[in-house]
Amino acid sequence: MIKSFARPIAWLLLAAILYVTISPIQARPVTHQPVSVERLVAFGLLGLAFVIGYPRRWLLAACFVIGLAFVFEAAQLLAATRHARFDDALVKAIGAAIGVTIGVTINRLSLLRH
């Protein structure tokens, strides 16, 4: 049941993160948190959602989400008001890896209960 809920959430998160990443800086939501925390949490949730949504393909999901961190950051080169930085991509990738790790742990623990 949770898998069928996590899949659309994962794709919606991906779309939202892409929009926030490449939209003009003025359109970026303000959370009053450090931007590194925002990046880490956003990609952590993305990694978690993809791994929960696609538990049998967790390694592919991990590569996909971690790769997206770098692709999305590079996409900022296309936006006039944005800039791409390797450090930002690295924070996003670390967040994705943390989310993936939590997702894999949740999936394995749920298998133990069955």
Side-chain angles (χ1 to χ4, degrees), residues 44-113:
L45 292 173
L46 187 64
L48 175 64
F50 268 102
V51 169
I52 296 293
Y54 299 93
R56 291 188 178 144
R57 301 192 188 279
W58 71 267
L59 188 56
L60 179 61
C63 293
F64 177 65
V65 176
I66 292 169
L68 280 179
F70 294 96
V71 169
F72 282 14
E73 193 64 28
Q76 288 186 358
L77 295 171
L78 303 173
T81 62
R82 305 304 292 261
H83 61 277
R85 293 183 34 200
F86 180 76
D87 292 352
D88 295 346
L90 196 57
V91 168
K92 292 173 183 178
I94 290 168
I98 291 169
V100 165
T101 302
I102 293 169
V104 168
T105 302
I106 289 170
N107 288 339
R108 290 199 174 149
L109 290 174
S110 70
L111 282 175
L112 292 176
R113 288 185 279 178

